[in-house]
């Protein structure tokens, strides 16, 4: 049996409400195709703020989503995959 390991990237998450936090996200979360909290709920997904990745210049912003049922966003230093 093989297990798939998804690569993660450290980003600054700026939720709609609350202070910015550093978290780990997958490509699916970064591109708005999966809940930023890492929950595996069926859609719909709703806007949940932005994450910012480091670049050689200014940070690059990405719109992220969360489950419409109000799942809890990740906390600083936690892996967003639960």
């Amino acid at each position: 049996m093989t297990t798939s390991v998804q690569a993660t990237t450290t980003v600054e998450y700026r939720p709609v409400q609350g202070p910015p936090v550093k978290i780990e996200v997958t490509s699916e979360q970064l591109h708005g195709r999966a809940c930023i909290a890492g929950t595996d709920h069926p859609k719909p997904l709703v806007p949940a703020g932005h994450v910012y990745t480091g670049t050689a210049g200014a940070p690059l912003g990405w719109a992220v989503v969360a489950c419409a049922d109000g799942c809890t966003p990740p906390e600083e230093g936690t892996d967003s995959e639960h």
Side-chain angles (χ1 to χ4, degrees), residues 26-81:
T26 66
S27 177
E28 291 295 299
Q29 292 167 311
L30 187 65
H31 289 93
R33 295 187 295 259
C35 177
I36 192 66
T39 57
D40 190 19
H41 293 198
K43 299 200 186 301
L45 297 171
V46 296
H50 292 81
V51 297
Y52 292 84
T53 56
T55 63
L60 181 60
W62 304 77
V64 294
V65 295
C67 299
D69 65 359
C71 62
T72 305
E75 296 178 13
E76 185 157 2
T78 61
D79 186 340
S80 58
E81 298 249 37

